[in-house]
Amino acid sequence: MLLGFLLCYGGFTALCLSMDRHHTELLGRTPSFRRRQGMRITGWLLLALSLWAAVSAAGWGLGLVQWFAVLMLSGLLLVLLLPYRPRLALSLAGVSLLASPVAAFAQY
């Protein structure tokens, strides 16, 4: 479930950065079209990988329930951090993506 959480948080942050307003606020420049598309594709890919991780760890019945719980928890964390600590939200996304291979090895 930790792997799913890390991937979901990274995916939601990538989707957040695909929007002009959040990208400008967090990184200080407006994104190009190519960067926006790349962030959007990366975000959806990370969310799909988190679904795969949850289902492979617990099966379809419990895995989907855990995945929806992880989706809500990671989305809530990002929504609460973004207005007050945007740099912390961005650095947590980087840490989560760096820690996800470790969590994958620990899971299997």
Side-chain angles (χ1 to χ4, degrees):
M1 193 153 117
L2 176 64
L3 177 62
F5 176 76
L6 294 173
L7 291 172
C8 277
Y9 188 78
F12 278 139
T13 306
L15 287 174
C16 174
L17 287 174
S18 71
M19 292 185 259
D20 288 336
R21 177 180 175 214
H22 296 298
H23 194 281
T24 304
E25 178 183 322
L26 289 173
L27 300 177
R29 59 184 182 273
T30 57
S32 65
F33 177 75
R34 177 176 235 136
R35 181 172 288 222
R36 269 196 320 258
Q37 288 297 103
M39 289 288 192
R40 202 170 290 144
I41 290 169
T42 302
W44 285 112
L45 184 65
L46 286 172
L47 289 176
L49 281 174
S50 70
L51 173 63
W52 172 78
V55 169
S56 70
W60 280 102
L62 190 57
L64 282 177
V65 173
Q66 288 178 352
W67 184 64
F68 279 114
V70 164
L71 274 176
M72 288 186 287
L73 184 63
S74 62
L76 178 69
L77 179 64
L78 183 63
V79 164
L80 290 177
L81 282 177
L82 204 55
Y84 301 110
R85 302 275 187 202
R87 294 289 179 188
L88 179 63
L90 186 62
S91 61
L92 279 179
V95 168
S96 72
L97 291 178
L98 288 175
S100 59
V102 175
F105 286 125
Q107 184 176 358
Y108 297 109

